Amino acid sequence: MKKGLFALVFLIASSILIVIACTSEQREDAVSMNTGTQNEESQSCYDFMDTQEWGTLYRFEVDGLEGFKDADGNIVVKPQYSYVHGFSEGLAFVRGVEGSADQTGFIDLEGNLVIPLPTAIDGGDFSEGFAHVIIRAYDWQNEEPFVHGLPGPFILINRNGYNVFGEEFESVRPFTNGLAIVRRYRGNAEFIDRTGQNAFGMEFRMAHRHDEDGFAPVQLLDGTRTYLDRLGNLVDRRDAIARATSDEWGSLQRIGNVGYLWGFRNDNREIVIDIQYRHANSFTEGLAFVQGVEGREYKTGFIDYTGELVIPLPNAISAGRFFEGFALVINRRWDCENEEVVNRRIPGPHIFIDRTGQNVFNQEFADARHFIDGIARVQLLNGNIAFIDTSGENVFGQEFLAARDFVGDLVAVTLLDGREVYRARP
């Protein structure tokens, strides 16, 4: 009975972790991805950055054993494991069949066991050089299980297989932009940096990742629900939606119908802009991007609170929200056959527009984040990363192979020679 209960809890917990890991990465306008063997077109345009940098293999099963094939269907790693995870950063967790614990750990793309973990129960994806591992099951008779009923304690390992922080955690969320959310043994949730330190010096009942706008939903120890920005400041909900508060710009709420069309209503729940758009963003700085239904592209662009189309963008595929006077717009898709795609997560090159709708920097970017405190992170068409100010100037005067978001006044970057360093906000 106890074995059956343990197996049920483990299955549920593993499913929860997988769902969390998948859903937390989704963005509002992300391109939909296939997880199985992908065709040549989808590989050339819409794979994750991880696939572009490391390559990948695809899981398959024969008679209850799992292995990996390449995109052409060739067997690279024969089916020999009780279960396997997908590849991330060139590594995948695999678990040997009963009696073959020496086959458990992380393998590389050639099938070599490069991080042996014979006692591991499960392992997560590598993200920013770290992966979480469940190292053992709880002794249910002699040890009180963790609050969430997970099957065992977590550690964070690096690519050498070391427990980098030398401690066990109740739960772990993967690193994103230099931060991971952990819950220490019988403790509260907190954000840690790549040294394992509490990045903001605060603990929470619950915490979630920062979204693309730089805000993380958190629940304080007194039960208050609020948001945490990347500087470690607690902000209210309206500030979390946009740096421009509703006191300055006013507020409308999106509303949809069963036909998946969108409009807007006021705080009294009165519809003030008819339900007519196939897509609509929230209002920020008094404007919202909307997209007309097929055949009505003339209704695509940014509207004001009266519903007037003040910035028409009939060719726009997608657009972000206004922050600090600028918004990101994608006007066309990548030409997959004739253009080198440097960021495979996005459908086309980005531009910044101002409130007149002009391309303010007369430049396209492979990818970009909106402005926060006068600085935006962009990916140039050559694939390198830079940080620009509101005049379009490179604030550090150099490009990087990779970069995170600012945490406080520091940002982690990878120099062109491969060294990882920190840069202070100019």
Side-chain angles (χ1 to χ4, degrees):
M1 180 66 180
K2 290 182 178 178
K3 289 184 178 179
L5 177 61
F6 174 80
L8 177 60
V9 172
F10 175 69
L11 179 61
I12 294 172
S14 299
S15 301
I16 291 172
L17 287 174
I18 292 171
V19 170
I20 290 173
C22 292
T23 57
S24 62
E25 291 298 324
Q26 293 175 343
R27 296 171 57 181
E28 182 176 330
D29 297 317
V31 178
S32 108
M33 309 286 294
N34 293 322
T35 56
T37 302
Q38 301 176 6
N39 59 37
E40 183 176 352
E41 179 181 0
S42 66
Q43 282 188 314
S44 65
C45 288
Y46 303 125
D47 282 353
F48 288 103
M49 285 290 288
D50 177 60
T51 302
Q52 181 183 18
E53 182 177 359
W54 300 95
T56 195
L57 297 174
Y58 303 96
R59 294 179 290 178
F60 75 104
E61 180 182 343
V62 175
D63 296 331
L65 297 179
E66 298 190 26
F68 291 93
K69 293 181 178 180
D70 62 21
D72 296 322
N74 302 312
I75 296 176
V76 179
V77 182
K78 66 180 182 180
Q80 57 187 303
Y81 303 108
S82 60
Y83 70 85
V84 301
H85 288 192
F87 275 89
S88 58
E89 297 187 0
L91 300 173
F93 180 81
V94 298
R95 184 168 184 177
V97 297
E98 187 175 355
S100 300
D102 58 340
Q103 291 186 335
T104 296
F106 285 87
I107 63 172
D108 61 19
L109 290 162
E110 295 178 352
N112 301 312
L113 188 69
V114 293
I115 304 178
L117 298 166
T119 62
I121 295 176
D122 200 1
D125 293 338
F126 266 89
S127 178
E128 302 185 9
F130 300 91
H132 67 258
V133 174
I134 301 176
I135 54 175
R136 68 179 188 275
Y138 273 112
D139 179 352
W140 289 75
Q141 291 182 338
N142 303 314
E143 190 173 1
E144 180 185 352
F146 280 140
V147 175
H148 298 292
L150 297 178
F154 290 74
I155 63 171
L156 277 162
I157 66 170
N158 60 15
R159 295 179 66 86
N160 294 321
Y162 297 129
N163 180 352
V164 286
F165 304 132
E167 64 178 304
E168 298 176 356
F169 300 97
E170 174 186 334
S171 62
V172 172
R173 299 284 295 278
F175 271 92
T176 303
N177 290 312
L179 295 173
I181 301 172
V182 301
R183 189 181 295 272
R184 301 181 194 273
Y185 179 59
R186 289 184 176 83
N188 299 307
E190 59 186 88
F191 293 84
I192 63 170
D193 59 25
R194 293 166 64 87
T195 70
Q197 302 299 309
N198 187 322
F200 302 120
M202 290 183 282
E203 297 182 356
F204 309 93
R205 280 192 183 180
M206 296 292 293
H208 301 275
R209 290 178 178 177
H210 288 85
D211 61 21
E212 62 180 358
D213 296 328
F215 299 95
V218 295
Q219 184 179 20
L220 304 183
L221 299 183
D222 65 4
T224 302
R225 295 181 182 271
T226 183
Y227 289 79
L228 182 78
D229 68 16
R230 290 194 180 278
L231 300 176
N233 301 312
L234 296 174
V235 294
D236 65 29
R237 182 172 178 80
R238 289 182 176 180
D239 282 337
I241 295 173
R243 289 295 180 95
T245 66
S246 60
D247 292 336
E248 181 180 358
W249 299 101
S251 178
L252 291 178
Q253 300 172 349
R254 290 187 304 166
I255 181 172
N257 64 10
V258 293
Y260 300 103
L261 295 179
W262 295 89
F264 294 88
R265 66 186 182 189
N266 59 24
D267 290 338
N268 295 324
R269 306 179 69 85
E270 300 167 337
I271 296 178
V272 295
I273 299 176
D274 289 341
I275 298 174
Q276 58 185 300
Y277 305 108
R278 66 175 178 178
H279 175 77
N281 283 356
S282 300
F283 273 91
T284 56
E285 298 187 358
L287 299 174
F289 176 76
V290 296
Q291 197 168 36
V293 297
E294 187 174 358
R296 296 186 179 182
E297 288 79 6
Y298 64 90
K299 287 194 173 184
T300 296
F302 284 88
I303 61 173
D304 63 17
Y305 283 116
T306 69
E308 181 182 354
L309 190 69
V310 293
I311 305 178
L313 298 168
N315 298 319
I317 296 171
S318 181
R321 299 191 282 265
F322 265 91
F323 285 86
E324 302 186 9
F326 300 92
L328 287 164
V329 175
I330 301 174
N331 278 328
R332 71 176 195 278
R333 298 191 182 278
W334 286 109
D335 180 349
C336 298
E337 294 181 356
N338 302 314
E339 284 189 85
E340 179 183 1
V341 180
V342 295
N343 186 332
R344 303 183 180 187
R345 278 184 145 176
I346 58 175
H350 292 56
I351 65 171
F352 283 96
I353 67 169
D354 60 17
R355 295 177 68 85
T356 70
Q358 299 300 309
N359 180 348
V360 288
F361 305 132
N362 294 316
Q363 184 177 0
E364 292 183 346
F365 303 97
D367 196 5
R369 303 289 291 272
H370 59 68
F371 280 92
I372 296 178
D373 295 331
I375 296 177
R377 188 184 76 189
V378 299
Q379 184 178 33
L380 307 175
L381 295 182
N382 64 8
N384 292 336
I385 305 297
F387 291 85
I388 62 173
D389 60 21
T390 55
S391 67
E393 295 296 320
N394 186 326
V395 298
F396 292 119
Q398 64 183 134
E399 300 174 7
F400 308 103
L401 287 178
R404 311 301 178 193
D405 287 333
F406 277 92
V407 177
D409 288 328
L410 293 177
V411 60
V413 298
T414 302
L415 303 180
L416 297 183
D417 62 10
R419 289 181 295 145
E420 293 187 357
V421 299
Y422 285 88
R423 287 284 184 263
R425 184 184 297 274

